[in-house]
Amino acid sequence: MAAFGIATGGSNWFSALALGVTLLKCLLIPTYHSTDFEVHRNWLAITHSLPISQWYYEATSEWTLDYPPFFAWFEYALSHVAKYFDQEMLNVRNLNYSSSRTLLFQRFSVIFTDALFVYAVHECCKCIDGKKAGKELTEKPKFILSALLLWNFGLLIVDHIHFQYNGFLSGLMLLSIARFFQKRHMEGAFLFAVLLHFKHIYLYVAPAYGVYLLRSYCFTANKQDGSIRWNSFSFVRLISLGLIVFLVSALSLGPFLALNQLPQVFSRLFPFKRGLCHAYWAPNFWALYSALDKVLSVIGLNDKWFSSAVPTHSPSLSDSLGHLYLHSDCHVGPRGFLRCLILCALSSFMFGWHVHEKAILLAVLPMSLLSVGKAVDASIFLILTTTGHYSLFPLLFTAPELPIKIILMLLFTIYSISSLKTLFRKEKPLFNWMETFYLLGLGPLEVFCEFVFPFTSWNLKYPFIPLLLTSVYCAVGITYAWLKLYVSVLIDPPVGKTKKQ
Amino acid sequence: MFGDYEAQRHWQEITFNLPIKQWYFNSSDNNLQYWGLDYPPLTAYHSFLCAYVAKFINPDWIALHSSRGYESQAHKLFMRATVLIADLLIYIPAVVLYCCCLKEISTKKKIATALCILLYPGLILIDYGHFQYNSVSLGFALWGILGVSYDWDLLGSLAFCLAINYKQMELYHSLPFFCFLLGKCFKKGLKGKGLVLLIKLACTVVASFILCWLPFFTEREQTLQVLRRLFPVDRGLFEDKVANIWCSFSVFFKIRDILPHHIQIMISFCFTFLSLLPACIKLTLHPSPKGFRFTLVSCALSFFLFSFQVHEKSILLVSLPVCLVLSEIPFMSTWFLLVSTFSMLPLLLKDELLMPSVVTVMAFFIACATSFSIFEKTSEEELQLKCFSTSVRKYFTCFTFLPRIIQHLFLMSVITMILLTTMTVTLDPPQKLPDLFAVLVCFVSCLHFLFFLVYFTIIIMWDSKTGRSQKKIS
């Protein structure tokens, strides 16, 4: 009895947090799911019933396989468990099949694979120093970070309501970051290579990895002042990194190379025929651009050259080149790498091609790691997260999900703001009056879009207005956070080797 | 879902479209066989208020006759929102205030207690899953308990009268209130302040009843009809499977068919009052807030086990007082609250609430286990059985094994509950006994409840002077 008592005692807060959020995920099983549910069911069917040579050619359903091969193998593995739940879901012709057993299996697969995310969070907590820790458990940075990551609102609603597998993918990314903090660079590189072949959206942050590994791993030593010692370049390390990437890619793309299907695979992975903006505008630069365009066209000032001056490539490459210059000169360490990664992710979100608003999670999750370190980062994190999470609201447009999303968002926002404020209470306030005003403005915006607008007459004539307002309002916030982060990277010296843990 | 959800929607339809005089009567517009009103007037007024809001949003929801069986996502959201609003306005503030006023425990423990009480699975599942407004009546009762415990007697009795006028099942709690207040009057002296208090209380009760029943007091027939709807004595000793004595007894001895109707009523009356009399007499003679809480538990449990026409949802009336003593005897309270949720298993399975039940029970158990460290609090003193054990040891010196017995019983109980739940969900019952699992669940729960009745009665009877003299010493 006593042993049982110790096991359930209050000492193991991490398990309590993880278990609590898992129970919450179980409660979200019967909620609304988007077409992504059918997408993954279709992929289960394709990988289970068809030979490899047909995986990237199959087009019975409109939701064709457009993730890299490792994800296809992942679905293949899942399908072998799926056949014990409901054999019918593995039939390619069963479009939109969603029996209760299918739903149960798919939802449980997301919950189960989140175990990797939980492990990654556990590893990340080890990388956080507890210098600022108070005696109280709930004021320790480790606790706050665990809560912010495990109970992240965006991840919860995108993965467990909208239906996606971002949990374990983000887990892989966070794990590779943690490995870099723990100076296990080879493992980190391997994990990231694997991640790239699961979901190619992580190419957005690949420059950060490339630059960091080159700078901090291939150059084995620094001069006294921290700049590069050019003669310490280690070819062995460079070759071994290259070997890792090559082997992983070979494992992933090898079979398709042998089948001469590489062009088809790449055309599926990078569909450039789609437009600049998605059906719902992600709150990035292009949203502001398009809004301005529309406003100008309504006013009548629209010139042809304005809308044709759209660049057709993502400028994140220029970002990373800039970082290359930055990092060659300054102290660099895992923390600097993290900043670079977040900046890459955010910049790609801001200017990328056909960006989905879910991509904001790519920046939000790593930012949590920085937020418990410095007050400036906490402030940027809170603005980015609150605005980013609010921009996900249009994903859940059904009536039953309305109270869920509002209550969960309020809980997470209130917790994140109050815990970070308590952590940094000895420094200057996190927000200035402008930022406070902006964040508070989200409340009336939500009330207007969801409760007032549907009852007005404009609902029939201009039904896109709530989406437009949400997108533009959030774009302002996210742009502001991006600029602030950029400025803080340029001005402050990144925490490098001088501050040992 | 043609159950309580449709009943509540129908009541909104009736109260909005028909004049008050017709609410409780059978007519062409109001078919009492189809979910007729069988709660006191306050429920009817609440439905009327909700109907007003519904009319503003979408009149189709409460259109007379044509809205029967209406179900849409927006309507569901509206109905669930009404439960949430009632919860937020009445029940949750009462719980928070109760926990704030607890004495001799730290702020962290107070917050933990409030969290555990609010996480109680039974109320959440019945109110939000099955669909009812128990939080309103339980909330009012809790305000009443708060008022009376902290010497705001008039407000407390007013709140409790509102509770009774919302759901007549709150009468389960009425005896302890009566005895406690009577005891207070006796203490103050019947010749002076006591008599004044008694008269004031009587006036408050009468006034609140008149206020609630005003439209129905105009004619004798109205009052009688409402009473007939509230207390259907024509129905039998029990309906469906419920975890009380009569249902369990009828497994062996078909009491319903053998004994005539009025004998059944007499037996049930006698047993109920015999089991709760000691505690009530003790409360009248020595009124104290602690005794009041425990008497509420034992009274409500006696009524549940022995009374007439009990529904399985009535266990919530026992669960509320048990939640209030959570901070005093965490181990036994948590055990009881788990069993009470388990006893409603057949009902929850009928509503397809298996996953939410499992999740909320696990969340509640983890919350209680971590907040109160319940497994370390199984000593005699923690279980408040010290006085009892000392008395028994005068006759049986070897009576030292009580904590160990209780721990083993707890383990067996949890294993049995998990086993029965798994069996009910996965296996099909044999053809000859289609209700096998439901009856087993009720029988097992009934045994548990009898055990708890004995336990709580022991605490009440043995609490007394030793307890108070210890306090005087310390």
Side-chain angles (χ1 to χ4, degrees), chain A residues 4 8 19 23 26-27 399-400 403, chain B residues 73 77 355-356 359 363 366 370 375:
Chain A
F4 198 31
T8 53
L19 198 59
L23 288 175
C26 290
L27 280 179
Chain B
Q73 276 199 342
L77 185 61
M355 174 70 78
V359 167
I366 293 172
T370 49
F375 295 110

Side-chain angles (χ1 to χ4, degrees), chain A residues 1 4-5 8-9 19 23 26-27 29 104 108 136 398-400 402-403, chain B residues 73-74 77 108 331 355-356 359 362-363 365-366 369-370 375-376 407 410:
Chain A
M1 214 67 180
F4 198 31
T8 53
L19 198 59
L23 288 175
C26 290
L27 280 179
I29 286 180
L104 207 63
F108 268 125
E136 191 63 44
T398 46
L402 182 64
Chain B
Q73 276 199 342
L77 185 61
K108 242 177 112 180
F331 179 69
M355 174 70 78
V359 167
M362 279 180 65
F365 182 64
I366 293 172
T370 49
F375 295 110
E376 293 155 24
Q407 285 171 7
F410 176 75

